[in-house]
Amino acid sequence: MHRHPAAAGRRRGHARHPGATGTLRERLAAHRANPECASCHDYLDPIGLGLENFDAIGAWRTIDEGQTIDASGLFPDGRSFDGAAEMAALVKADPNTPRCLSERMLIYALGRGLEDADEAHLDAITASFQSNGRTLESLIAAIVQSEPFRNRR
């Protein structure tokens, strides 16, 4: 897990610094030149840039600073994509996605990390999620019906 350097928590997003120029992709590349920032941003930016057609409030855009947006991205395992639709297709096709989503949602629902005793329940939640169409509704239903959720402390 990547840890933020102490100074990272003091910043609010990636607000434009006085004198910063270029597209977001260019500004992030300059940001990654700082070794403290690169420790996280070398990992995160290539993924997030696939969503670059969406602005800060989710509106679609094709131009950034007068240039056509390059929404190409790269997962840490080397799989590349161009834009949100290709990214989503890769995530959907990844066999690890159902378990990862089930695990993250269960952690959120329980308000705690998982313990060894939760593994069998996570397996059942993941199987239910997959066999019921991999919908958000089916995942939530499997979680709220699970023993760890019903008996959370």
Side-chain angles (χ1 to χ4, degrees), residues 1 10-11 17 35 57-58 65 74 125 132 143 152:
M1 183 65 150
R10 289 186 229 127
R11 300 179 87 194
H17 299 284
I57 60 169
E65 296 294 320
L74 184 70
I125 290 166
N132 288 295
I143 289 171
R152 66 190 181 282

Side-chain angles (χ1 to χ4, degrees), residues 19-36:
T21 60
T23 64
L24 178 60
R25 182 177 287 268
E26 292 165 343
R27 293 189 316 268
L28 286 174
H31 184 67
R32 287 191 306 274
N34 178 336
E36 285 186 9

